[in-house]
Amino acid sequence: MSARDLIEGEAILDDEEDDESFDEETGEVRQRSNGVNGHFDDSSEEDDEEDDEEAARREAEGFIVEEDEDEDEARARAERRRERKKRKHEERERDDEALDEEDLDLIGEKPMADRPQESRFKRLKRGHKEDSRRSAGGIEDIFNSDEEEEADVGRRMDGRAVQDEFEGFIEEDTFSDEEGQQEQEDEEVARPTRKSMATYGIADASGLDEAALEDLREAFGDGSDYYFALSKEDEEEEQDQEEEKHLDLKDVFEPSQLAEKMLTDEDHEIRVTDEPERFQLARKPYKDVHLTAEQFKEETQWISNMLLPKRQLRPELNDHFREAVGKSLEFMVTDDFEVPFIFQNRKDYLIHADKRPVGRDEHGQTEYEIEAAKLLNQTDLWEIFDLDLKYRALVDKRNTLQKTYDNLTSLSYIKVDPVFESMLPAAATMEEVQDVQDYLYFQYSSEIKEMKTGISGQVNGNGVHRRKAVAKTIYERVRGSNIYNLVQSYGITADAFAENALNKGVRNYTEDPAEMPEDLADKLVDGEFPTGSQALKVARLMYAEELAMSPKMRKVIREAYYSFGAIDCFRTEKGLRKIDEQHQYYEFKYLRDQELSQIARQPELYLRMLKAEEEGLVEVKPRLQNVEQFKRHLHKQIESDNFSGIADAWNKERKIVLDDAFVKLNRIMGRLVKENLKVECENQVARECREEFTRKLDQAPYQPHGMGRGTVPRVLALTNGNGIVGKDPVSWVYMNEEGRVVENGTFVELVPGDRDRGVQDGRDVTAFVEIVNRRGPDVIGISGFSPETRKLHQHLQALVKEKDLRGATYTDDDDREVSDLLDVVVVNDEIARLYQTSDRAKTEHPAFAPLTHYCVALAKYMQDPLVEYAGLGRDLTSIIFSPGQQLIPQERILKQLETVLVDYVNMCGVDVNEAVADLSTSRLLPYVAGLGPRKAAYLLKVVNLNNSFVNTREELLGVNNAHAAMGPKVWNNCASFLKIPYEATEAEAEFLDSTRIHPEDYDIARKMAADALELDEEDIKAEVDENGPGAIVRKLVKDDAQDRVNDLILEQYAEQLLDISHQRKRATLENIRAELNDPYEELRQSFMHILPTENIFTMLTGETRQSLDRGMIVPMSIKRITDDHIDGKLDCGIDAFVGESELTDDFNVSVKSLYSVHQTVRVKILSLDRKHFLATVSLRDEELKRPYRRLNDRMHNEWDDKQEASDKKVLEEKTDAGGRAARVIKHPLFRPFTAKQAEEHLGSQNRGDVVIRPSSRGFDHLAVTWKVADGVFQHIDVLELDKENEFALGKTLKIGGRYTYSDLDELIVLHVSAMAKKVDEMTGHEKYRNDSKDRTEEWLTTYTKANPKRSNYAFCLSREHPGYFHLCFKAGENAKCISWPVKIIPPGFELQKNPYPSMKDLTNGFKMLYQNMQMGIRR
């Protein structure tokens, strides 16, 4: 076997995969399932090879005795197989991968080309297997395998050389003549001969001449008669070896990689199973749960009860609503129909129509009016689908609990329990089922333990029944002792008491014993509990636990909580210091007495409260309102009605026990209510996200003037990014109606002139006008990152008007050819911001700059928002749809958003042939009903096999000799949503395939078309026989007679269909009529080309009403100073104006002496014009001293004013006790914090966020604390120079004697922000590991063990030294792990006192440093 054979046997492994499979996370080697240490051989290979060598030696020496023919044949076959495996094993060892250049540089070695070539062959000596192993070859050995094979063939053709195919490959040892002769004989005996070798070398081996050999062959033959058997045998062996060598994907790739690419066995099963993909994934946990007919009815009622309160229907519609829920469940569960299919093709079951008489016509016939009420919408259907899953989970848990109970009763561990048997079937929520489970496991804990262990008793040698010793709880011990009689003496069971509290049924009366509690306890003592006081204490504990474990008692407390529950929020000691009036959590720092219904209406507030609780800043405590009154009510239900000293004593005991049980029940129910309220608030936020996303998706492409709805526009998109209009470049792209970027570029001076002032147009205006006239766009779209975009919008509007730039001409209602001025639209850029730096953008347009990518996304968004939102995939959650979105699991948000995509993709349909050819359209396929990412990919694969084109919907099922892309069930779901454009020129084209009409209704549509054309049966038959089933509809379209369908009376059709097929089709008939008139009519709302002012303001500034509002104190950069006003800009980019009266409190001082241009000052916002991006602000100290306080509209009993005042006093006292005057710097980031407080403040913020604080080193120092990473903060000492006084800020700021800045803003931008960017660059590098130094070194050690001749390095964060990283490296398996510190500096990185501006320079510099170090060691 040649080297090529070995390489081909590697299946699809490349060089690196062949040598090793390495886990990047753990550094461990992944074992192949087919072999050991990377070799595809059998675990007993070494033993077999040693046996082969020993057998060959003994055979040569004549020690092998002859055996029967079958045994010899089997041995020969096994020997050939072992020989092939042995060669394969040796070839694999030669094919070790060599070090690459980068690693050679790292360890200071020369590249392979510079090193002397080492012989690839070593001597073959007799002895142990290890001696015969060859040295590992480089990668070039693999590529030389073909040459070696050719050389071998050449040698075989050279007569003698062919006797041994290894001649010249293995260097022979030198032996004596006798030994050499013996070896040659051994080789002749062991070597099988083939026909191709028969005429070569035999004469030399036997000593006969050619004539003698010819006589020998004539007499005995040359052995070729048996070659057919040997060939067949070899083929079988090769087939066996191929099976052994077969590799699955799981043998090559990590499970996580296969799961990511959806290539696991489970993915394959989903792909081929004829069931909607979303159903398979959602129902996976409950695939073994099968509902009975009774349970299905119960589910319908259960879901209806959940949904009815939200729908607020008229009472007479409630029964119809329940019927609609039941039918929807039937469609989903029995028929496996997805929500879009039900909503589109079973709409009649979601509507209730009343037929009411309204009078009589002229012929005396009764006239009716149809009044339709919509019972269920798509959102309701999705909720039914989710509730079905929850119900299955409920049934699953109930079934499991019922099985446990049945086992207990059937095995005679317990008798019938009426509490369990009444409560479990009635349990309608998971909480109630959990209550029943807790009751069962408490009441029969010992029996359940015994049943689980499977030990009901064992018999010893004396025939005595003995049990295995099991540790008992205190309650089991009480239940088995005399003390339980004392528990029963309380006179009423927990279940009976709970029924009294629920006020259901006849009252259960409490019976009093004849003795006092203490006396009875003394009588019932036993060895387990020897004293009366101990017995009474244990009895109280037991009865309180029975009350707490009673399902009905828990129901009492739960109902009370949901009716009279409230939430209080208490600050912690940490929250006292950290939550000041500017903090986002201050609005609930002292919040009290919030009813649950009130909290449920503010889901985002409650979720933020829980977030603050996680951070240790507050405690959220649920409680019962009027709890004492509620407890008095319970006391009355447990007390006896008797009047005596004994009755009073027992009633007192009952109250004590009830109060103990109430504490536990209050804790359990409080925790449960708190968690349930969280889930409800999360669901509410998710629903808000769905509603907002629905609003965003419900817009068609921008509609050009005079064009039909759904027409794709030609778009010219522009942006100035963050630049200043007129100074910085404006990027632009032109995109045609096919979605292709035809032209792009940049403008700089795109500013219209002013004729009145003699100002000429900007130099790029002419080019802009030329492009518009040449390309003829239908609309101009713009957007950007700053308020400067508003100026660009104004400039473009002026240019369009001045230069008379118009769109395409069209015919108006009066048949005149007209055209309109081009619209200049500010486009929502939330998709463009994500797209501009995405991998998708780099793949689609690799040569474009980020701002050009941004323009591409703007243009695509205007052409079809749906396609662009669908293309985001999981990045959808990066868009903010609701304020509380970040407070709930992103998977829940994504699930809700995907349901909206499914709704709208199916409403708009997908052209399946376009999806095959266009990647953007193909991204819509996973959202088609019945499909998903796996089935969509399989569909595209099959269509490509079927000549890359689908002619009819039926072809997807595999008709007309096509491969089947899906099964019937999936096809039924998706057929009407996969459209195939109608081609009138195609004789067999099916018009209905281009509509929303489902194939199951094609016959109805054809009947309606025939009736509209007034064809009789004979005409229909003749037309169909000649042109096929679709001929009638084609004729309707060809004759342009679709409007005739509008004359049909659909009510009669619907009644006939109901009588014949018992199917409701009234709404379906309306849909058929609409589709025959206008296939796949655009149903979305018009494009939102006028965004609300609030949206534009937030988009261009990043500010909301919560982050920027009147009364807030913010920084302002001064741009212009006059005697009567100051112009400036806020950080968000909006213009700020300081009027004369708001410049200063001291009017005797010149404004220009107080302030200077480019100075950053603190101002208070007096008014904010969001439409014109203008703020009026004040610089007066009197205004600045009054801090901003958010409007608190809480009622007096909802806010703890006393606690607030007390806390302020405490903080003031702590400040006064500080011992030194508090320093105040006029800067928005200044805080009077200690280092610890600064770290707490920055804990939940982002990397690079800063706090400026006083320094403990004195008044000529400041401290700057910034967040490096989670839990890592760097404290920078800033030296102030040129100070006017002790409390003033120095005019020169120095850090470490190396960096000098003129003010704090410059320091933050050029020092802290620069270092934060370098940290981002480091953590984003491929060699960075988010591990500790020890874990990183452990990873390197594992890696080099798996790759002994390779070196590697990695970076990790130094948590002990903020601002530093560790550079850990290991040059080979036996080398020591070394670590060098890397310092983050504003210009870049510092390693061994050498600065490097980027990570690329740092890694290259590191290799050079190490190489120089190695060279120094060698010298």
Side-chain angles (χ1 to χ4, degrees):
M1 182 181 294
S2 69
R4 172 178 293 180
D5 296 325
L6 287 174
I7 293 172
E8 290 177 352
E10 297 297 323
I12 59 172
L13 292 178
D14 60 18
D15 299 336
E16 290 184 3
E17 291 167 337
D18 180 22
D19 292 333
E20 71 278 316
S21 181
F22 189 74
D23 191 320
E24 290 292 339
E25 294 297 326
T26 63
E28 296 178 355
V29 179
R30 307 184 192 110
Q31 296 297 330
R32 306 286 188 202
S33 61
N34 297 28
V36 179
N37 298 328
H39 300 294
F40 296 82
D41 53 24
D42 169 306
S43 61
S44 60
E45 183 179 336
E46 286 193 24
D47 295 339
D48 291 344
E49 289 175 355
E50 291 175 4
D51 292 344
D52 287 348
E53 291 177 6
E54 179 64 19
R57 184 181 63 79
R58 293 177 59 195
E59 181 181 357
E61 294 175 1
F63 288 113
I64 302 294
V65 294
E66 291 186 3
E67 297 177 349
D68 64 331
E69 199 170 358
D70 291 339
E71 191 171 345
D72 288 340
E73 202 170 288
R75 181 178 292 108
R77 188 183 303 112
E79 184 176 348
R80 283 194 295 273
R81 184 180 291 112
R82 284 196 295 271
E83 181 65 20
R84 293 188 185 203
K85 287 183 178 180
K86 184 176 179 181
R87 293 181 199 169
K88 180 178 177 181
H89 179 79
E90 292 171 348
E91 189 72 13
R92 293 240 177 211
E93 297 210 352
R94 289 200 309 274
D95 286 343
D96 250 345
E97 184 178 1
L99 295 175
D100 58 23
E101 275 190 46
E102 182 179 345
D103 292 323
L104 290 169
D105 288 341
L106 178 64
I107 63 174
E109 293 290 342
K110 293 182 179 180
M112 184 68 72
D114 298 328
R115 292 159 61 186
Q117 290 291 328
E118 184 179 348
S119 173
R120 291 170 27 219
F121 312 126
K122 289 191 177 181
R123 294 165 57 89
L124 178 65
K125 300 180 181 179
R126 300 190 184 209
H128 194 269
K129 174 186 172 184
E130 294 295 328
D131 297 333
S132 65
R133 288 188 175 174
R134 304 162 191 262
S135 63
I139 295 177
E140 54 268 80
D141 295 342
I142 297 176
F143 297 105
N144 288 337
S145 59
D146 292 343
E147 299 173 9
E148 293 173 17
E149 186 176 29
E150 291 172 6
D152 287 343
V153 172
R155 284 194 296 269
R156 292 190 190 109
M157 298 301 296
D158 189 25
R160 182 184 300 271
V162 86
Q163 293 180 40
D164 190 352
E165 60 178 319
F166 294 107
E167 185 172 349
F169 187 78
I170 301 175
E171 184 179 351
E172 300 289 350
D173 284 344
T174 303
F175 303 108
S176 64
D177 292 342
E178 184 176 350
E179 289 174 330
Q181 180 66 26
Q182 180 64 43
E183 184 186 14
Q184 186 177 11
E185 292 175 5
D186 292 347
E187 290 173 352
E188 291 168 5
V189 172
R191 183 184 304 118
T193 308
R194 285 283 192 257
K195 182 176 181 179
S196 59
M197 305 167 62
T199 58
Y200 300 108
I202 303 300
D204 288 345
S206 61
L208 300 175
D209 59 15
E210 189 62 32
L213 285 172
E214 185 65 30
D215 295 338
L216 186 65
R217 281 194 292 271
E218 289 178 0
F220 299 101
D222 59 1
S224 59
D225 295 340
Y226 303 100
Y227 281 162
F228 74 93
L230 294 174
S231 299
K232 186 174 181 180
E233 191 177 288
D234 288 346
E235 288 175 5
E236 291 177 355
E237 291 177 5
E238 289 175 4
Q239 185 176 355
D240 293 342
Q241 287 182 343
E242 285 299 322
E243 292 176 357
E244 291 176 4
K245 290 187 294 184
H246 175 69
L247 286 178
D248 290 327
L249 287 173
K250 61 186 177 182
D251 299 321
V252 180
F253 298 103
E254 279 294 292
S256 59
Q257 293 175 303
L258 294 177
E260 181 183 354
K261 299 296 183 183
M262 298 182 184
L263 295 173
T264 64
D265 293 340
E266 182 182 351
D267 293 319
H268 178 69
E269 184 179 352
I270 293 172
R271 195 176 292 114
V272 299
T273 301
D274 187 23
E275 181 183 351
E277 183 169 326
R278 275 174 286 275
F279 279 10
Q280 293 187 60
L281 294 172
R283 294 171 177 171
K284 180 183 173 183
Y286 318 112
K287 60 183 179 181
D288 296 326
V289 178
H290 304 288
L291 302 182
T292 63
E294 195 63 34
Q295 286 175 330
F296 191 83
K297 290 180 182 178
E298 180 192 350
E299 181 182 9
T300 300
Q301 190 70 22
W302 185 78
I303 294 178
S304 299
N305 293 339
M306 294 280 192
L307 296 180
L308 259 176
K310 303 176 186 177
R311 295 294 294 158
Q312 298 179 347
L313 298 172
R314 300 194 308 269
E316 62 268 22
L317 293 176
N318 288 350
D319 290 339
H320 299 296
F321 178 83
R322 291 188 175 89
E323 182 184 350
V325 170
K327 289 301 293 184
S328 300
L329 270 176
E330 181 183 336
F331 294 143
M332 291 180 189
V333 176
T334 306
D335 300 328
D336 283 330
F337 289 150
E338 278 211 84
V339 168
F341 177 92
I342 298 171
F343 188 75
Q344 174 68 23
N345 300 300
R346 297 292 183 268
K347 192 172 291 186
D348 294 87
Y349 295 92
L350 312 180
I351 300 171
H352 174 67
D354 274 336
K355 190 175 181 181
R356 298 179 179 179
V358 293
R360 295 183 180 273
D361 60 13
E362 56 185 6
H363 303 292
Q365 298 293 327
T366 304
E367 290 185 333
Y368 295 93
E369 180 183 62
I370 304 297
E371 181 180 351
K374 197 172 185 177
L375 301 175
L376 295 172
N377 55 34
Q378 281 178 292
T379 302
D380 296 327
L381 292 175
W382 284 112
E383 195 161 357
I384 289 172
F385 176 66
D386 287 336
L387 289 173
D388 173 56
L389 299 177
K390 292 180 180 178
Y391 183 78
R392 288 169 182 268
L394 179 70
V395 169
D396 189 27
K397 189 163 185 175
R398 282 200 319 208
N399 290 346
T400 302
L401 201 54
Q402 184 68 49
K403 185 178 179 180
T404 301
Y405 175 76
D406 292 342
N407 289 338
L408 286 171
T409 54
S410 63
L411 296 175
S412 301
Y413 286 106
I414 64 171
K415 296 179 180 179
V416 173
D417 188 312
V419 174
F420 180 90
E421 295 196 347
S422 63
M423 292 300 294
L424 184 62
T429 64
M430 293 297 279
E431 292 82 9
E432 292 177 356
V433 176
Q434 186 63 46
D435 292 344
V436 177
Q437 178 175 312
D438 292 345
Y439 166 80
L440 185 70
Y441 277 73
F442 167 73
Q443 198 71 23
Y444 306 108
S445 56
S446 59
E447 290 84 352
I448 291 174
K449 288 178 185 177
E450 187 175 351
M451 182 184 69
K452 284 185 176 180
T453 55
I455 301 174
S456 59
Q458 296 178 351
V459 180
N460 61 17
N462 298 324
V464 179
H465 192 74
R466 61 184 179 89
R467 294 178 181 269
K468 183 178 180 180
V470 179
K472 292 186 177 182
T473 64
I474 181 69
Y475 306 112
E476 292 172 339
R477 289 161 55 198
V478 170
R479 200 176 281 117
S481 68
N482 289 336
I483 306 301
Y484 197 66
N485 294 323
L486 184 59
V487 175
Q488 294 174 327
S489 298
Y490 280 91
I492 187 170
T493 65
D495 189 59
F497 163 60
E499 289 179 356
N500 290 345
L502 288 170
N503 294 321
K504 291 184 178 179
V506 180
R507 175 180 170 83
N508 299 290
Y509 291 95
T510 305
E511 300 294 334
D512 292 321
E515 299 177 79
M516 298 290 284
E518 293 79 4
D519 297 337
L520 186 59
D522 290 337
K523 284 186 177 181
L524 294 175
V525 296
D526 57 11
E528 191 79 24
F529 306 102
T531 65
S533 60
Q534 188 178 6
L536 188 59
K537 182 179 178 181
V538 170
R540 289 174 181 170
L541 178 67
M542 183 67 186
Y543 189 45
E545 191 68 16
E546 287 187 345
L547 290 173
M549 289 295 175
S550 167
K552 290 183 180 179
M553 193 63 215
R554 289 190 176 186
K555 186 176 183 180
V556 171
I557 305 300
R558 186 184 295 110
E559 289 182 356
Y561 255 102
Y562 286 128
S563 300
F564 311 109
I567 296 289
D568 293 331
C569 189
F570 298 92
R571 57 92 185 141
T572 62
E573 284 300 315
K574 182 180 177 181
L576 170 65
R577 301 189 311 274
K578 187 169 181 179
I579 305 178
D580 58 16
E581 291 190 0
Q582 311 302 320
H583 200 280
Q584 59 173 334
Y585 295 155
Y586 192 80
E587 64 176 309
F588 52 77
K589 184 177 182 179
Y590 303 104
L591 194 62
R592 305 284 191 270
D593 204 28
Q594 296 294 293
E595 295 182 0
L596 299 187
S597 58
Q598 189 176 357
I599 285 288
R601 291 193 294 270
Q602 307 173 78
E604 189 259 343
L605 174 67
Y606 182 68
L607 293 175
R608 288 199 297 121
M609 291 166 65
L610 296 180
K611 178 68 174 175
E613 186 175 45
E614 286 181 16
E615 296 173 10
L617 301 177
V618 300
E619 287 183 82
V620 180
K621 295 183 177 180
R623 64 175 176 83
L624 273 175
Q625 295 175 315
N626 304 319
V627 64
E628 293 302 323
Q629 180 180 347
F630 180 70
K631 287 170 70 174
R632 286 196 294 271
H633 166 73
L634 293 180
H635 289 161
K636 290 180 182 179
Q637 306 304 322
I638 201 172
E639 292 175 345
S640 72
D641 297 334
N642 299 327
F643 296 95
S644 65
I646 293 176
D648 292 342
W650 277 104
N651 282 338
K652 182 179 178 181
E653 276 295 319
R654 294 180 187 113
K655 288 180 181 179
I656 293 173
V657 173
L658 181 56
D659 289 344
D660 291 342
F662 185 81
V663 171
K664 184 169 185 178
L665 284 168
N666 194 41
R667 184 173 64 252
I668 294 172
M669 289 300 118
R671 184 171 60 247
L672 182 63
V673 166
K674 184 177 175 181
E675 184 62 29
N676 286 347
L677 189 58
K678 176 186 176 183
V679 172
E680 180 56 35
C681 287
E682 289 179 344
N683 290 338
Q684 179 63 27
V685 170
R687 284 192 291 269
E688 290 175 4
C689 292
R690 174 182 164 82
E691 291 170 4
E692 177 63 18
F693 192 36
T694 299
R695 188 186 67 81
K696 290 177 181 291
L697 283 187
D698 192 16
Q699 52 176 332
Y702 173 85
Q703 183 178 353
H705 295 289
M707 303 293 182
R709 285 173 58 81
T711 303
V712 178
R714 301 185 296 265
V715 183
L716 179 64
L718 303 93
T719 183
N720 63 310
N722 273 317
I724 298 174
V725 176
K727 294 183 180 180
D728 297 320
V730 174
S731 298
W732 62 272
V733 301
Y734 170 75
M735 184 174 289
N736 64 13
E737 59 270 25
E738 296 175 356
R740 187 166 58 88
V741 177
V742 178
E743 194 173 353
N744 69 91
T746 58
F747 301 126
V748 177
E749 294 184 12
L750 195 60
V751 181
D754 189 338
R755 293 181 181 179
D756 297 336
R757 298 170 55 189
V759 179
Q760 294 184 346
D761 291 337
R763 65 184 180 188
D764 289 324
V765 169
T766 303
F768 169 75
V769 173
E770 187 273 334
I771 288 170
V772 172
N773 290 329
R774 177 163 49 87
R775 291 298 182 184
D778 298 311
V779 64
I780 298 174
I782 70 162
S783 199
F785 310 143
S786 73
E788 285 288 320
T789 302
R790 180 179 58 90
K791 294 181 181 178
L792 177 62
H793 182 242
Q794 293 170 349
H795 293 337
L796 290 174
Q797 283 183 320
L799 287 172
V800 167
K801 186 175 181 180
E802 182 182 334
K803 307 299 181 183
D804 195 33
L805 302 177
R806 296 179 176 272
T809 58
Y810 62 93
T811 304
D812 64 6
D813 295 336
D814 298 328
D815 291 332
R816 294 178 302 176
E817 293 291 325
V818 296
S819 62
D820 299 320
L821 290 174
L822 285 173
D823 284 339
V824 181
V825 179
V826 178
V827 185
N828 182 351
D829 73 338
E830 58 191 10
I831 293 178
R833 289 177 185 245
L834 295 172
Y835 178 83
Q836 65 173 335
T837 56
S838 67
D839 293 336
R840 181 160 66 100
K842 295 172 185 175
T843 301
E844 293 174 354
H845 305 285
F848 288 1
L851 279 182
T852 309
H853 285 147
Y854 179 85
C855 292
V856 170
L858 293 178
K860 286 185 174 182
Y861 181 83
M862 297 192 75
Q863 291 189 338
D864 195 342
L866 174 61
V867 174
E868 294 311 299
Y869 279 113
L872 290 178
R874 300 187 66 85
D875 288 340
L876 264 177
T877 55
S878 301
I879 298 174
I880 301 300
F881 299 98
S882 171
Q885 177 178 335
Q886 304 301 323
L887 300 171
I888 67 177
Q890 295 306 293
E891 284 297 325
R892 185 173 299 183
I893 294 291
L894 188 62
K895 180 181 175 184
Q896 287 288 337
L897 300 181
E898 285 181 345
T899 63
V900 186
L901 279 171
V902 170
D903 290 342
Y904 277 88
V905 167
N906 288 281
M907 185 177 80
C908 298
V910 179
D911 184 340
V912 65
N913 290 313
E914 186 179 344
V916 174
D918 179 54
L919 184 60
S920 296
T921 308
S922 69
R923 296 190 182 103
L924 299 175
L925 278 178
Y927 303 104
V928 173
L931 303 182
R934 300 161 186 81
K935 288 184 180 293
Y938 185 69
L939 168 62
L940 293 175
K941 179 180 177 181
V942 171
V943 172
N944 282 318
L945 288 175
N946 295 336
N947 299 321
S948 301
F949 195 82
V950 180
N951 296 297
T952 65
R953 286 170 172 170
E954 286 185 350
E955 282 187 10
L956 298 174
L957 283 171
V959 300
N960 299 330
N961 298 321
H963 297 278
M966 59 191 70
K969 194 173 289 186
V970 173
W971 183 82
N972 269 328
N973 271 283
C974 71
S976 60
F977 307 117
L978 296 176
K979 56 185 177 181
I980 301 171
Y982 174 67
E983 294 289 343
T985 57
E986 295 289 335
E988 298 182 357
E990 175 58 80
F991 177 82
L992 298 179
D993 281 347
S994 66
T995 70
R996 292 186 177 93
I997 303 171
H998 195 277
E1000 70 180 7
D1001 297 322
Y1002 279 8
D1003 289 341
I1004 299 175
R1006 290 162 182 162
K1007 169 65 174 168
M1008 290 174 62
D1011 290 348
L1013 292 172
E1014 299 180 355
L1015 300 177
D1016 57 25
E1017 294 294 333
E1018 292 181 359
D1019 295 334
I1020 295 173
K1021 185 176 186 305
E1023 190 72 31
V1024 170
D1025 290 344
E1026 182 178 354
N1027 299 312
I1032 303 299
V1033 178
R1034 283 200 299 274
K1035 179 176 176 58
L1036 182 76
V1037 175
K1038 183 179 179 181
D1039 295 347
D1040 197 18
Q1042 292 103 312
D1043 57 339
R1044 295 186 188 178
V1045 181
N1046 299 329
D1047 299 331
L1048 298 177
I1049 303 175
L1050 299 185
E1051 194 61 40
Q1052 295 178 0
Y1053 278 88
E1055 290 175 357
Q1056 291 175 9
L1057 289 170
L1058 184 61
D1059 293 339
I1060 297 172
S1061 61
H1062 305 290
Q1063 288 184 328
R1064 301 179 191 173
K1065 289 286 186 180
R1066 181 65 181 82
T1068 302
L1069 292 173
E1070 287 287 357
N1071 176 60
I1072 293 173
R1073 176 157 64 184
E1075 291 299 312
L1076 288 175
N1077 278 285
D1078 188 359
Y1080 262 102
E1081 176 190 4
E1082 180 60 71
L1083 300 178
R1084 291 173 289 179
Q1085 301 293 324
S1086 298
F1087 185 83
M1088 291 186 290
H1089 62 279
I1090 301 178
L1091 292 177
T1093 299
E1094 196 77 26
N1095 292 19
I1096 294 177
F1097 183 83
T1098 299
M1099 183 175 72
L1100 298 182
T1101 65
E1103 303 286 356
T1104 63
R1105 290 192 179 272
Q1106 288 70 38
S1107 62
L1108 190 71
D1109 205 358
R1110 180 181 175 182
M1112 289 185 174
I1113 298 174
V1114 296
M1116 180 192 77
S1117 176
I1118 297 175
K1119 300 302 179 186
R1120 181 167 172 263
I1121 301 176
T1122 67
D1123 292 334
D1124 59 355
H1125 75 275
I1126 291 177
D1127 294 325
K1129 271 193 183 296
L1130 303 187
D1131 282 349
C1132 60
I1134 70 173
D1135 296 325
F1137 176 81
V1138 187
E1140 185 177 6
S1141 61
E1142 300 298 334
L1143 291 172
T1144 178
D1145 292 320
D1146 187 356
F1147 293 99
N1148 297 322
V1149 181
S1150 171
V1151 176
K1152 293 183 179 179
S1153 66
L1154 293 175
Y1155 305 107
S1156 60
V1157 176
H1158 303 308
Q1159 181 182 355
T1160 300
V1161 295
R1162 298 171 73 227
V1163 296
K1164 186 170 188 176
I1165 300 176
L1166 301 179
S1167 66
L1168 184 59
D1169 184 347
R1170 296 176 185 272
K1171 183 176 182 179
H1172 298 99
F1173 296 84
L1174 178 63
T1176 303
V1177 300
S1178 175
L1179 282 165
R1180 295 171 53 207
D1181 287 339
E1182 184 180 348
E1183 289 288 349
L1184 294 174
K1185 286 178 181 176
R1186 291 198 296 250
Y1188 171 75
R1189 186 167 185 177
R1190 296 184 187 277
L1191 179 64
N1192 190 344
D1193 57 352
R1194 304 292 180 189
M1195 302 291 290
H1196 71 278
N1197 62 326
E1198 295 181 343
W1199 192 261
D1200 196 337
D1201 297 297
K1202 291 182 180 180
Q1203 185 66 50
E1204 184 182 27
S1206 173
D1207 287 350
K1208 285 183 178 180
K1209 186 176 180 180
V1210 169
L1211 289 174
E1212 289 172 1
E1213 291 174 353
K1214 288 184 177 180
T1215 303
D1216 294 339
R1220 68 167 186 255
R1223 187 180 179 189
V1224 178
I1225 301 295
K1226 286 188 177 181
H1227 194 278
L1229 297 178
F1230 180 83
R1231 296 285 188 277
F1233 287 166
T1234 63
K1236 184 177 180 182
Q1237 289 172 335
E1239 291 181 0
E1240 291 176 353
H1241 176 79
L1242 294 170
S1244 60
Q1245 299 188 32
N1246 299 322
R1247 175 184 294 143
D1249 285 345
V1250 181
V1251 164
I1252 304 169
R1253 58 185 179 83
S1255 173
S1256 58
R1257 297 189 177 186
F1259 287 103
D1260 58 346
H1261 286 262
L1262 277 177
V1264 175
T1265 302
W1266 70 285
K1267 183 175 180 179
V1268 181
D1270 288 337
V1272 181
F1273 307 90
Q1274 186 179 27
H1275 304 282
I1276 303 172
D1277 177 54
V1278 181
L1279 176 64
E1280 301 176 67
L1281 303 174
D1282 302 329
K1283 294 169 65 74
E1284 293 181 357
N1285 57 61
E1286 185 179 33
F1287 296 99
L1289 179 66
K1291 295 181 180 179
T1292 302
L1293 307 176
K1294 278 202 164 189
I1295 297 178
R1298 298 173 59 184
Y1299 307 104
T1300 303
Y1301 305 101
S1302 59
D1303 58 39
L1304 288 172
D1305 290 300
E1306 185 182 14
L1307 182 148
I1308 291 170
V1309 172
L1310 299 182
H1311 195 92
V1312 179
S1313 297
M1315 290 197 295
K1317 288 180 181 178
K1318 291 303 170 185
V1319 173
D1320 288 336
E1321 186 179 351
M1322 171 69 80
T1323 56
H1325 193 264
E1326 61 180 1
K1327 288 291 186 179
Y1328 176 77
R1329 294 189 62 80
N1330 190 22
D1331 273 332
S1332 64
K1333 178 185 174 185
D1334 292 340
R1335 291 289 300 275
T1336 302
E1337 291 181 346
E1338 180 182 339
W1339 181 86
L1340 288 171
T1341 302
T1342 307
Y1343 180 91
T1344 51
K1345 281 184 179 178
N1347 306 270
K1349 296 185 179 181
R1350 297 188 114 185
S1351 306
N1352 208 344
Y1353 64 97
F1355 298 95
C1356 63
L1357 180 66
S1358 174
R1359 293 187 171 272
E1360 302 80 14
H1361 304 285
Y1364 282 83
F1365 286 81
H1366 294 293
L1367 169 53
C1368 305
F1369 56 95
K1370 199 169 187 294
E1373 179 183 14
N1374 299 320
K1376 186 179 179 182
C1377 213
I1378 302 175
S1379 171
W1380 286 353
V1382 178
K1383 183 180 180 181
I1384 303 297
I1385 57 176
F1389 309 94
E1390 189 175 274
L1391 176 66
Q1392 301 288 310
K1393 298 184 179 181
N1394 297 306
Y1396 300 99
S1398 68
M1399 283 299 297
K1400 182 178 180 181
D1401 297 314
L1402 175 63
T1403 54
N1404 290 337
F1406 154 63
K1407 295 172 185 176
M1408 290 293 296
L1409 287 172
Y1410 186 78
Q1411 191 172 9
N1412 293 339
M1413 185 182 76
Q1414 291 296 100
M1415 291 173 65
I1417 293 174
R1418 292 192 186 100
R1419 291 193 189 101

